[in-house]
Amino acid sequence: MISIKGLYKKFGELEVLKGIDLEVNNGEVVVIIGPSGSGKTTLLRCLNILEVPTAGTIILEGHKADFSMPLKKKDVDYFKKKSGMVFQHYNLFPHKTALENVMEGPVIVKKEAKEVARKKAGQLLTKVGLSDKFDFYPHQLSGGQQQRVGIARALAMEPKVMLFDEPTSALDPELVGEVLQVMKDLANEGMTMVVVTHEMRFAKDVADVVIFMDDGKVIERDKPSEMFKNPKEERTRQFLNLLL
Ligand code: ADP
Ligand code: MG
């Protein structure tokens, strides 16, 4: 479903992604781990074309973007529409209610009728356990509730793949579980997911594949059971020793 080949990203002189190859199959959950600054966020943002890669190709559902050529607007629109991003700091609109946050994308981007969008937004908020919070503003919600609104908002665009960038790392420990549970439910429904996280328990329970990134490269890729028990690369071992 996703095929990334030779992906590079530079910020000025700083090369942050140094030739990433990555395949994600339909319905797969891929967890990306790696030290701070290794390029995990940049990789997710490239998948969503929030950042434009410097070189390489990404194929999403047979639709190819080749970054050695100028990007076409329809390619950018396609990638944005087909991938839903969940951010570390939720990025909700502070002056909109939970329901309005979830409706925003479908109404503004997809030109959906407001009543249709409102009904779907209500269903999605119910699905993430927030049926009693439709009219609450972000500041009236806990971090875990805000992040669940963030997930509902991404789902509202009916993406083919969900991208999560450390979705629980800004949360108090007691709120982490409720967000991970929503993510687990999504995975069980067959959603294709790419998740940057330090929650090793989640990786062990839910991931089909774990990717270890360091210094802009994929160092190792394996099933979680193998990666955590028996890492092949010294750098992976060192990183896991710090975490486990
Ligand atoms: P990670 O998510 O693994 O911590 P990032 O992808 O956020 O890593 O960052 C990788 C490197 O790219 C870091 O050195 C960071 O400072 C740099 N970087 C990220 N975004 C930008 C940007 N917009 N402009 C300049 N440098 C950036
Ligand atoms: Mg990051």
Side-chain angles (χ1 to χ4, degrees), residues 37 40-42 88 165-166 196:
K40 305 180 300 295
T41 294
T42 304
Q88 184 174 2
D165 190 9
E166 301 200 30
V196 175

Side-chain angles (χ1 to χ4, degrees), residues 191-207:
M191 177 61 81
T192 308
M193 299 170 38
V194 182
V195 184
V196 175
T197 186
H198 299 298
E199 296 290 337
M200 292 300 128
R201 179 87 240 166
F202 176 83
K204 277 182 189 150
D205 291 349
V206 183

Side-chain angles (χ1 to χ4, degrees), residues 11 14 16 35-42:
F11 292 109
L14 182 68
V16 172
S36 181
S38 57
K40 305 180 300 295
T41 294
T42 304

Side-chain angles (χ1 to χ4, degrees), residues 6 9 62 69 81 89 139 148 154 163 166 186:
K9 175 63 185 175
M69 296 192 281
K81 223 163 44 194
H89 295 288
H139 74 89
R148 285 186 280 148
L163 311 172
E166 301 200 30
L186 266 183

Side-chain angles (χ1 to χ4, degrees), residues 4-34:
I4 303 174
K5 292 231 163 69
L7 201 73
Y8 286 80
K9 175 63 185 175
K10 273 188 183 178
F11 292 109
E13 288 301 295
L14 182 68
E15 194 160 65
V16 172
L17 298 182
K18 303 177 180 175
I20 301 279
D21 298 313
L22 180 63
E23 304 283 327
V24 182
N25 296 316
N26 210 355
E28 228 171 32
V29 177
V30 175
V31 163
I32 302 178
I33 59 173

